[in-house]
Amino acid sequence: QQQVKQSPQSLIVQKGGIPIINCAYENTAFDYFPWYQQFPGKGPALLIAIRPDVSEKKEGRFTISFNKSAKQFSLHIMDSQPGDSATYFCAAAGNTGKLIFGQGTTLQVKP
Amino acid sequence: KAGVTQTPRYLIKTRGQQVTLSCSPISGHRSVSWYQQTPGQGLQFLFEYFSETQRNKGNFPGRFSGRQFSNSRSEMNVSTLELGDSALYLCASSSQVGRTEAFFGQGTRLTVV
């Protein structure tokens, strides 16, 4: 019940493409869903986050879609660039500060 | 505004030794969480401190401990190191406990030999 399942494990797209990363959760007590971006040798950087009272949130080229009934959420990266090549993690949290992370998706954007 | 600072960045220790890692949160943030990141297990929650009190603990053995000081700086300690403790240890800073933005430091890379 504490797991967050993330897919795919890896993803390769051409520059300008729209990679989509999906996450699913079981625990209905989760009500905060952030996405993190991590480059090699760096800590995860908060990208965007959503709460269950909205179905979509956009920040720049990054969009989160949230389906509360299906207990799923996804990250879309519009007009992807080689600089977006990184590992992306979804996470979920309830009423504590404990983040439960997905296993990560390694994204490669080819020029 | 300065980010989350973790020291040291790299450590090499021998099995059986103990290690202390340090984390200075973003100024004004009072919540500090620790995570272990490994290729096999991913990012796993260790514990969270707020106002010098441990608020939450993950499923790690008692060899892993932490504390928080009155200035919100935090330390984590691992005693009797095992090879499997080799990992990137990450500290995250939040303004309060619970569903708020958490900002990570660059981590401390611990290698146990």
Side-chain angles (χ1 to χ4, degrees):
Chain A
Q1 265 230 325
Q2 286 293 315
Q3 281 188 322
V4 175
K5 294 182 181 178
Q6 183 173 345
S7 63
Q9 189 173 350
S10 62
L11 192 52
I12 301 173
V13 300
Q14 292 294 132
K15 177 182 172 182
I18 306 176
I20 300 173
I21 304 170
N22 300 297
C23 287
Y25 63 98
E26 291 291 327
N27 191 341
T28 55
F30 289 153
D31 62 358
Y32 175 67
F33 304 90
W35 284 89
Y36 284 85
Q37 177 190 58
Q38 187 176 28
F39 293 104
K42 303 289 187 183
L46 180 62
L47 209 50
I48 185 173
I50 198 168
R51 299 188 191 278
D53 51 347
V54 297
S55 60
E56 187 176 277
K57 183 175 181 180
K58 291 182 182 181
E59 283 189 9
R61 296 183 294 107
F62 300 93
T63 299
I64 299 179
S65 297
F66 187 83
N67 185 329
K68 188 174 181 179
S69 60
K71 290 184 284 187
Q72 294 176 349
F73 57 110
S74 60
L75 176 70
H76 298 61
I77 305 175
M78 306 302 177
D79 186 28
S80 58
Q81 301 296 314
D84 295 330
S85 298
T87 300
Y88 292 82
F89 293 93
C90 63
N95 61 356
T96 69
K98 178 179 179 180
L99 287 168
I100 306 297
F101 283 89
Q103 283 298 100
T105 297
T106 302
L107 171 66
Q108 181 183 357
V109 181
K110 291 191 170 183
Chain B
K1 207 175 195 182
V4 179
T5 303
Q6 290 189 245
T7 57
R9 289 292 313 280
Y10 303 94
L11 266 179
I12 300 176
K13 289 286 187 179
T14 305
R15 268 184 309 173
Q17 287 187 311
Q18 74 166 14
V19 67
T20 299
L21 313 181
S22 179
C23 172
S24 292
I26 292 170
S27 178
H29 283 193
R30 296 166 62 193
S31 175
V32 173
S33 298
W34 289 89
Y35 292 82
Q36 181 196 65
Q37 186 175 26
T38 59
Q41 298 299 315
L43 280 149
Q44 293 188 290
F45 174 81
L46 280 155
F47 26 65
E48 179 186 23
Y49 287 87
F50 182 82
S51 294
E52 302 178 67
T53 301
Q54 187 179 92
R55 297 298 176 120
N56 212 340
K57 191 176 190 307
N59 295 325
F60 279 81
R63 300 185 296 106
F64 291 81
S65 63
R67 58 177 176 169
Q68 186 180 34
F69 302 95
S70 58
N71 62 357
S72 295
R73 190 177 70 85
S74 177
E75 290 181 346
M76 70 163 278
N77 184 276
V78 188
S79 63
T80 320
L81 283 165
E82 300 177 0
L83 295 179
D85 297 332
S86 295
L88 181 66
Y89 289 89
L90 292 158
C91 165
S93 159
S94 300
S95 58
Q96 56 186 311
V97 173
R99 311 174 292 290
T100 58
E101 297 172 325
F103 300 93
F104 283 84
Q106 294 204 76
T108 294
R109 172 72 62 185
L110 172 65
T111 302
V112 182
V113 298

